[in-house]
Amino acid sequence: MNFDFETAKNVASLISPLTGAVIDTYIKPKLKELVERSKVDREVFEHSLSSKFEEYLTRTYEQHSYITTIVFPNQQKRLEDLYIPLTVKTHDRAPFVVDSYRKDLVPSYKKIIIKDSAGMGKTTLLRFLYLSAIKQNVGIPIFIELRYLTKDRSVLDIIHSELNPIDEEYDRQFIHRLIRRGDFIFFLDGYDEIPFTERETVTRDLHTFISKAWQNSFIISSREETALASFYTFREFKIEPLKRDQAFTLIDKYDPEGVIANKLKKRLQGADSKSYEGFLVNPLLVSLLFKTYEYKSIIPLRKHIFYRQIYDALFETHDLTKGAFIRPKHCKLDIDLFHVVIRTLGMFTVKKGTTGYDKDELLKYLSDVKKFNPTIQFKETDLLKDLVSTVPLFICEGDYYRWSHKAIQEYFAAQFICTDTKSKQGQILRSMCKSPLLPRYIHVLDLCYDIDYKTFRNTVIRDLISEYLEYYDGHYRRVNESQVNRRDVDFRKSISFSCQAIIFPYTFFREHLKDEDFISNKEVYKFLKREGYHSDGMGTSYKFKRGDYRKIFESGNVTRAAGIALVFNQHYYLIDLLALKREPIVHCSGGRGKAVDAMEVWDGPEPVLVDDDPRSDLNDPLNFAKVNQVIAQLSILYLGTEACRSLKERIERELRQADELDFF
């Protein structure tokens, strides 16, 4: 269903009772109490501020009821028509199917982070929860896109401007008081899209706001970010991969008539169906799968080819319901030159860490792109028209323009790296891998792996295994292998290359244990920060992962408790990427280690680092294997030593042979 004025009127008539219920339940009772303490006309002020909240809820309900997807460019579709219930999971609970605003999810935890990779549906999930919160009248929902926050524009500034106050200072005071009294639900979408230059200030502002408004509930969505470690009071959830039947349901929603959907599903159930399994677990990739099949009736096996075919389909505006046709382009560029321009734009904007821009800012980017490609002639204003209409890679919201999806921006950036910077490609890849912002570049690196595997292997993988082998040969050399099994030493060295394990004894947490609550993440974080692992999560190459804090209860009393924290360095992000690519040099501990409580290996007064100090109790021959078992209870990726040695030799042999080749 396309969005039109009549639809808008119908939606508005449905929204009014919902938003009115929220105002009557949560806003008016608070206003009554606050106004009675102030010297204002109660009825006038209550009506004024209540009306502002109701207008905000009505407007944003309508706004988030519709989504624009790459499957339906230049169209708005109802979210409820396309949404399939996603499943989220935290480390200690059964999965939650998000088919409503569940009381055992947000209200139960109060502060949660939905964290996952590109295209898993984080924003769609938050929008669904926002709409559900209004429908179910569970609180006062406020939706904030974090990319709009800057040094000069705080969370409260956005809330205040959204409510469009009449009496600036007086209304602001009351809004602050209302928030502090609770019942608000803040949906903070896209932490990873905060511009690099603004991140430290914005993160500090978020922490201040959350600490002052602690009576409310908060939901943050983000890709992996090292700075998220500073939100240690939040419970982390990940979105579970789609099951095949969920992917097929989504395909059916894209094509209710079944003209394309039925053919595609039949193809996906064919003899080579296993080749496509990796694309069916991610909602974005499912949408790309549908779009590429609609365009060419073929299914590419590599991700970057998906994106290329999406681009081709958008450029040629291929629509099976209307026949194939190509809309004239305002900029007069052909499909290949247009691609050159947009991949330059992708790289320039990825470097800045932003996906949205006002009109003047985007035109400035296009001007810079034009200077970089002096042989390609176009008018910036014409290209801007094409980006939102004839080749809709961008979405226009008033005077604000944003990429249709961050993954699309990253595809073009990856193409730029692998196509337009051949002499510096290895240098760029290495710079991204060494950057403290590496987590933000992982999807770009993922695509570079597919586009030019040879260069990726000869730089990123070669550097990684070289550093690993140097570490492996230089550590745990003083461990007595006559008393410690060599395989145990090998495992310890392999694991410690990409993460450091810290044993936290029961005595460290004694003051923080209450009933059956989990041991406080806050205390772990404070310790790690004190030891230099963190600086408020800003620009650090480390992250904190909650360990397996295990407690045993007997007759309601804690008999023993201890835990292990893992602090991952830059190498782990690359190892994780190689694991997703099924590189044979990567192994996994599998979380199947023999159940050994950390209390059995350490019960000192303070946490202790697992390192190669031969004087450490953890490296005592009687303790060494048990420490490994404690660590192995967590699922950890690590590199295989012999496989790395073999691959390094092969790469270096091929590089020598390439140097010796004389094509003429």
Side-chain angles (χ1 to χ4, degrees):
M1 177 179 66
N2 293 347
F3 182 78
D4 54 31
F5 181 71
E6 200 61 39
T7 300
K9 287 201 304 182
N10 293 336
V11 170
S13 65
L14 294 173
I15 296 171
S16 185
L18 301 176
T19 56
V22 173
I23 301 304
D24 291 340
T25 305
Y26 297 101
I27 296 291
K28 287 185 177 179
K30 289 183 175 63
L31 282 178
K32 180 179 180 181
E33 185 176 340
L34 288 172
V35 172
E36 284 174 351
R37 299 178 184 176
S38 308
K39 296 178 181 179
V40 296
D41 186 315
R42 173 176 163 263
E43 290 188 4
V44 171
F45 188 79
E46 181 182 318
H47 175 74
S48 171
L49 206 51
S50 296
S51 297
K52 291 171 190 173
F53 271 101
E54 186 162 8
E55 187 277 333
Y56 167 78
L57 292 173
T58 301
R59 172 167 45 85
T60 53
Y61 186 98
E62 183 176 338
Q63 174 188 340
H64 295 304
S65 292
Y66 293 89
I67 58 175
T68 301
T69 76
I70 203 160
V71 176
F72 304 106
N74 294 320
Q75 299 180 50
Q76 286 188 308
K77 295 288 183 176
R78 286 179 62 88
L79 184 146
E80 65 179 31
D81 292 339
L82 296 181
Y83 179 75
I84 57 170
L86 297 172
T87 302
V88 298
K89 191 176 188 308
T90 189
H91 69 277
D92 65 315
R93 292 286 304 273
F96 295 86
V97 177
V98 185
D99 52 5
S100 65
Y101 187 88
R102 295 181 51 158
K103 292 181 179 179
D104 54 352
L105 184 58
V106 183
S108 175
Y109 291 102
K110 297 288 282 185
K111 299 175 186 177
I112 68 173
I113 292 176
I114 305 291
K115 185 167 70 172
D116 223 305
S117 55
M120 287 302 292
K122 298 177 290 295
T123 294
T124 302
L125 180 64
L126 254 65
R127 289 185 173 188
F128 175 80
L129 286 171
Y130 178 83
L131 299 176
S132 299
I134 294 177
K135 288 179 184 177
Q136 296 169 228
N137 193 17
V138 293
I140 311 160
I142 302 289
F143 197 100
I144 296 174
E145 295 181 70
L146 295 177
R147 64 173 175 258
Y148 292 127
L149 298 184
T150 66
K151 300 184 186 77
D152 304 314
R153 196 169 191 226
S154 68
V155 176
L156 285 172
D157 290 334
I158 287 183
I159 295 170
H160 196 230
S161 64
E162 285 283 358
L163 293 174
N164 190 25
I166 298 171
D167 185 334
E168 180 83 13
E169 292 307 315
Y170 202 78
D171 283 10
R172 183 182 287 266
Q173 178 187 7
F174 267 79
I175 292 167
H176 293 186
R177 288 185 183 179
L178 278 171
I179 290 172
R180 285 175 179 161
R181 296 181 71 84
D183 291 326
F184 282 79
I185 310 161
F186 292 98
F187 296 85
L188 308 172
D189 183 42
Y191 179 85
D192 58 295
E193 296 191 28
I194 299 171
F196 298 154
T197 55
E198 308 284 349
R199 184 172 64 168
E200 185 168 354
T201 303
V202 168
T203 300
R204 193 178 300 118
D205 172 63
L206 278 173
H207 281 304
T208 301
F209 173 72
I210 292 167
S211 66
K212 289 182 178 179
W214 60 271
Q215 303 95 326
N216 303 285
S217 296
F218 301 87
I219 312 171
I220 297 175
S221 74
S222 180
R223 291 196 197 176
E224 181 64 73
E225 284 283 335
T226 54
L228 288 174
S230 64
F231 293 89
Y232 50 75
T233 59
F234 280 65
R235 179 59 70 92
E236 179 184 313
F237 285 82
K238 300 199 73 141
I239 300 174
E240 292 275 271
L242 296 182
K243 294 182 171 58
R244 177 178 284 259
D245 61 332
Q246 290 177 299
F248 281 10
T249 298
L250 187 56
I251 290 170
D252 287 335
K253 285 178 176 288
Y254 288 144
D255 180 27
E257 301 295 325
V259 176
I260 299 167
N262 291 336
K263 294 178 182 177
L264 175 57
K265 289 188 295 181
K266 184 177 180 180
R267 174 71 180 274
L268 293 171
Q269 292 171 315
D272 55 352
S273 61
K274 285 190 176 180
S275 303
Y276 311 127
E277 286 180 356
F279 296 103
L280 296 178
V281 299
N282 179 302
L284 174 64
L285 294 183
V286 171
S287 70
L288 296 179
L289 193 67
F290 178 86
K291 190 67 177 176
T292 55
Y293 193 80
E294 177 189 41
Y295 176 57
K296 280 193 174 179
S297 297
I298 61 173
I299 306 176
L301 292 177
R302 299 170 72 185
K303 195 186 298 183
H304 72 285
I305 300 177
F306 267 101
Y307 289 108
R308 175 67 206 211
Q309 287 191 189
I310 286 293
Y311 166 76
D312 290 346
L314 294 177
F315 192 93
E316 297 179 4
T317 319
H318 189 95
D319 188 333
L320 296 181
T321 65
K322 301 174 184 176
F325 66 97
I326 300 177
R327 291 180 181 173
K329 306 300 179 290
H330 299 283
C331 66
K332 311 299 184 185
L333 298 179
D334 64 26
I335 192 169
D336 293 321
L337 290 179
F338 198 96
H339 194 276
V340 172
V341 169
I342 303 309
R343 64 185 185 237
T344 309
L345 178 63
M347 186 63 187
F348 284 9
T349 54
V350 158
K351 283 173 60 180
K352 295 292 184 182
T354 54
T355 56
Y357 329 89
D358 61 37
K359 185 175 183 179
D360 290 339
E361 187 180 9
L362 184 52
L363 287 172
K364 175 63 169 60
Y365 273 121
L366 294 177
S367 177
D368 292 341
V369 167
K370 190 174 181 179
K371 291 175 185 175
F372 187 85
N373 297 286
T375 61
I376 303 177
Q377 297 300 312
F378 61 89
K379 289 184 179 179
E380 292 89 334
T381 51
D382 288 341
L383 188 65
L384 184 58
K385 291 177 188 176
D386 288 324
L387 287 175
V388 296
S389 58
T390 53
V391 192
L393 296 166
F394 276 68
I395 294 169
C396 179
E397 299 166 336
D399 198 38
Y400 189 81
Y401 297 79
R402 61 180 174 86
W403 288 89
S404 58
H405 198 285
K406 190 175 181 179
I408 299 295
Q409 176 198 36
E410 291 166 326
Y411 156 72
F412 283 106
Q415 284 285 3
F416 179 88
I417 292 169
C418 297
T419 307
D420 301 300
T421 65
K422 294 306 291 186
S423 62
K424 295 184 177 180
Q425 184 178 347
Q427 179 184 334
I428 293 171
L429 292 175
R430 287 184 167 113
S431 295
M432 294 169 75
C433 293
K434 298 298 182 185
S435 169
L437 301 172
L438 172 61
R440 289 198 173 192
Y441 296 137
I442 283 295
H443 191 236
V444 178
L445 290 168
D446 182 348
L447 289 161
C448 288
Y449 177 104
D450 286 345
I451 297 169
D452 185 356
Y453 174 70
K454 185 176 181 179
T455 301
F456 190 95
R457 189 190 69 158
N458 292 348
T459 53
V460 176
I461 298 178
R462 183 191 182 199
D463 289 355
L464 180 67
I465 61 179
S466 294
E467 290 176 33
Y468 167 70
L469 293 172
E470 181 180 352
Y471 176 90
Y472 182 92
D473 293 336
H475 286 72
Y476 287 90
R477 298 172 69 177
R478 292 181 289 171
V479 172
N480 190 337
E481 291 194 10
S482 64
Q483 295 178 290
V484 179
N485 188 295
R486 184 174 180 178
R487 283 179 296 181
D488 288 329
V489 178
D490 179 78
F491 175 78
R492 181 81 67 81
K493 290 198 284 188
S494 299
I495 290 291
S496 59
F497 169 68
S498 58
C499 69
Q500 287 190 308
I502 303 171
I503 305 292
F504 288 85
Y506 163 65
T507 51
F508 183 77
F509 295 109
R510 185 159 45 204
E511 297 177 4
H512 308 284
L513 295 174
K514 295 180 180 178
D515 301 323
E516 297 189 10
D517 291 337
F518 270 74
I519 295 166
S520 169
N521 269 358
K522 181 178 180 181
E523 296 307 313
V524 176
Y525 181 81
K526 284 167 63 178
F527 172 81
L528 294 174
K529 183 178 177 182
R530 189 178 79 209
E531 294 298 308
Y533 288 103
H534 292 283
S535 55
D536 295 330
M538 296 297 131
T540 174
S541 60
Y542 294 93
K543 69 171 182 174
F544 165 67
K545 178 177 180 180
R546 188 187 182 111
D548 183 21
Y549 302 122
R550 303 192 298 112
K551 294 190 296 184
I552 299 176
F553 291 84
E554 293 179 3
S555 303
N557 296 317
V558 179
T559 58
R560 57 181 178 150
I564 177 171
L566 298 178
V567 184
F568 295 94
N569 60 31
Q570 295 284 80
H571 297 133
Y572 198 84
Y573 293 106
L574 296 175
I575 293 172
D576 185 46
L577 173 59
L578 297 183
L580 291 174
K581 295 299 186 181
R582 299 183 179 179
E583 283 282 347
I585 61 173
V586 181
H587 303 295
C588 181
S589 66
R592 297 188 295 271
K594 182 181 177 182
V596 175
D597 197 287
M599 282 282 291
E600 294 183 32
V601 299
W602 180 248
D603 193 23
E606 285 287 311
V608 60
L609 176 69
V610 179
D611 60 15
D612 64 353
D613 184 350
R615 297 167 298 179
S616 171
D617 290 346
L618 302 183
N619 292 326
D620 184 282
L622 298 177
N623 223 9
F624 199 96
K626 284 187 177 181
V627 173
N628 281 3
Q629 289 169 351
V630 170
I631 296 172
Q633 289 172 133
L634 301 178
S635 184
I636 309 169
L637 299 172
Y638 62 97
L639 297 176
T641 308
E642 294 309 313
C644 284
R645 291 194 194 282
S646 175
L647 179 57
K648 184 184 179 186
E649 290 174 4
R650 187 161 66 250
I651 292 173
E652 292 179 347
R653 183 172 60 251
E654 291 174 6
L655 288 173
R656 287 193 301 271
Q657 291 171 347
D659 288 339
E660 295 167 0
L661 275 177
D662 183 357
F663 290 101
F664 297 97

